[in-house]
Amino acid sequence: MEALAKLQKILGSGKIKTQPEELFVYGYDATAGLKNQMPLAVVFPESAGEVVEIVKWANEYKIPLYPRGSGTNLSGGTIPAANGVVVELNRLNKILEIDLDNLTATVEPGVIINDLNEAVKPYGLIYPPDPGTVATATMGGSVAECSGGLRGLKYGVTKHYIMGVEAVIGTGELLKFGGKTVKNVTGYDLPALMVGSEGTLGIITKIIVKLIPAPKAKKSFLAVFNSIDDAGNAIAEIIKNRVIPATLEIMDQTTIRTVEKFKKIGLPVNAQAILLVETDGYPEQVEMEAKIIRQVLEKNRGEVSEAQNEEEREKLWEARRAALPALAQVSPTTVLEDATVPRSQVPAMLKKLKEIGEKYNLTIGTFGHAGDGNLHPTILTDETNREEWQRVEKAVEEIFKAALELGGTLSGEHGIGMAKNRFLPWEMGEAGVNLLKRLKLAFDPNNILNPGKMA
């Protein structure tokens, strides 16, 4: 094929794969229930200049490009079409600078999130966004999806830490948005526009992130509830008491039992729900907040225990991070959603999820970032069972409708991708979706970059 021969010549040896056995793993990501297709080729650029040449080549031959990091996204954001080329960015993996004067780091998109935190840890700093796949997810993918994580309640999500972005837009132009200045109101807020754009506006080649001082002290609690309603009420009441924990997570009984079977770490398998709560900051602040948190949990009939050392603390959070891997082993297909509601509506959403599971006779394990309203109802199913899969699809629609009716949103952190784009008009209206399409054309007039995603 002439086009691929020219691409090979542009990139040189060792930077392109075209054999079916090499391409298979790039035809899917972590999303369940979507049609997977092998791409035409996969390329591995090692510089921003090579990304520019790839995009120019794609425009010449009108071949779509699909940017990819580690493929851990949960919305079909990196699934290619059969006529497309995957641009795998993991070779752009350098931490270019840690600026201690400005409290920033400059990284390439292939840097693993956890590796960045390990690099800044000796300086007493952290990069707060911590999705569940923090040990494997890349910075570029995290920015493209605007990933959240366990610390989102107190510290915010990816968009709150991106100060500057370098990207190759759909025309093949290499542009730089933002920088190290704390304040910048020059023109439109283009760094913010790139965050969460899912690779549809540009291929990110460099990122400037904000770093913050690591907390001096932490306290972690496990609260066991015999009623999921009590757990939901405790979540809302903690926030009402003007305490914002670093982390406030929930696991329902299905999730508890599955994680315990998977990890065997002593979770209370007869509980209807558990809350995992952590407060951090200066020692005096932590002691004050811990006292209030304990009072609220006990008032709502929670049986509370506190981690006595770092080993016990890590054990608690290991349990939470094991939720999805554990649930994924139960059934052939795991459908993980992230419909998100205002914090005050968490009890109502938990009740609605239970009703939906019963209505469609489905097993739904719910866990997630309850403190910021970002729940992860996880349907355990088998997509080859067509009758059951039809029930799953109806249940997913009802989950989204319930979230929107409660003043929430389709996605708190997983993105839209292919999995949810048909639901966008429910939240944004047709006019809003059309605006997204016009914005994309401004950056990518030939619709080269990740077509079929978002809008």
Side-chain angles (χ1 to χ4, degrees), residues 18-280:
T18 58
Q19 297 303 309
E21 63 271 19
E22 297 175 314
L23 302 178
F24 180 79
V25 295
Y26 296 94
Y28 60 91
D29 54 27
T31 315
L34 296 178
K35 185 179 180 181
N36 303 331
Q37 297 188 92
M38 285 196 298
L40 191 64
V42 181
V43 293
F44 302 85
E46 297 178 2
S47 69
E50 288 184 348
V51 176
V52 168
E53 293 304 314
I54 291 167
V55 176
K56 288 180 178 178
W57 167 88
N59 274 282
E60 179 182 352
Y61 290 96
K62 300 298 184 291
I63 292 176
L65 300 175
Y66 297 89
R68 183 183 177 99
S70 296
T72 58
N73 84 89
L74 292 158
S75 59
T78 53
I79 295 177
N83 67 330
V85 170
V86 170
V87 183
E88 211 256 43
L89 295 158
N90 289 357
R91 294 188 187 180
L92 285 162
N93 59 7
K94 298 182 184 66
I95 298 175
L96 300 171
E97 181 189 50
I98 298 172
D99 185 338
L100 299 180
D101 293 328
N102 290 302
L103 294 185
T104 65
T106 302
V107 302
E108 291 182 324
V111 170
I112 302 299
I113 300 170
N114 199 52
D115 290 347
L116 173 59
N117 265 313
E118 288 299 313
V120 302
K121 186 177 180 179
Y123 305 106
L125 300 171
I126 60 170
Y127 171 70
D130 63 334
T133 51
V134 66
T136 52
T138 63
M139 289 295 297
S142 180
V143 172
E145 295 287 343
C146 191
S147 57
L150 276 66
R151 292 191 286 232
L153 171 59
K154 180 175 182 178
Y155 291 103
V157 297
T158 299
K159 66 183 178 182
H160 300 116
Y161 294 89
I162 304 306
M163 301 179 69
V165 172
E166 177 188 271
V168 182
I169 64 172
T171 57
E173 298 167 284
L174 180 65
L175 300 180
K176 297 177 181 179
F177 310 129
K180 292 184 180 181
T181 58
V182 176
K183 295 179 179 179
N184 184 337
V185 293
T186 304
Y188 295 123
D189 191 354
L190 295 176
L193 186 59
M194 294 300 297
V195 178
S197 62
E198 301 186 10
T200 62
L201 304 182
I203 299 177
I204 295 169
T205 54
K206 192 181 295 182
I207 309 157
I208 301 173
V209 303
K210 176 173 66 174
L211 305 173
I212 64 171
K216 302 295 184 184
K218 298 176 182 177
K219 277 186 180 290
S220 293
F221 297 93
L222 168 66
V224 181
F225 293 87
N226 291 322
S227 161
I228 200 162
D229 290 338
D230 288 341
N233 292 333
I235 292 163
E237 194 169 334
I238 288 172
I239 305 302
K240 284 181 184 177
N241 276 269
R242 305 297 185 264
V243 174
I244 307 296
T247 308
L248 177 48
E249 300 287 307
I250 191 169
M251 293 165 61
D252 72 356
Q253 188 178 72
T254 298
T255 308
I256 295 166
R257 290 181 172 179
T258 306
V259 170
E260 179 57 26
K261 185 177 180 180
F262 180 59
K263 282 288 186 179
K264 294 180 172 57
I265 53 181
L267 293 178
V269 293
N270 292 322
Q272 290 297 310
I274 62 173
L275 295 182
L276 298 166
V277 192
E278 182 165 281
T279 178
D280 68 7

Side-chain angles (χ1 to χ4, degrees), residues 341-393:
V341 297
R343 293 182 293 217
S344 61
Q345 297 289 2
V346 166
M349 190 65 190
L350 289 170
K351 181 179 179 181
K352 192 66 179 175
L353 290 171
K354 184 178 180 181
E355 292 172 356
I356 292 170
E358 291 172 351
K359 177 179 177 179
Y360 292 102
N361 191 26
L362 295 169
T363 300
I364 302 179
T366 297
F367 65 96
H369 321 303
D372 56 29
N374 184 197
L375 300 173
H376 293 315
T378 305
I379 305 174
L380 308 181
T381 184
D382 181 353
E383 63 182 307
T384 64
N385 182 333
R386 297 315 302 167
E387 185 276 330
E388 183 175 84
W389 189 251
Q390 288 175 358
R391 285 186 276 123
V392 169
E393 291 179 328

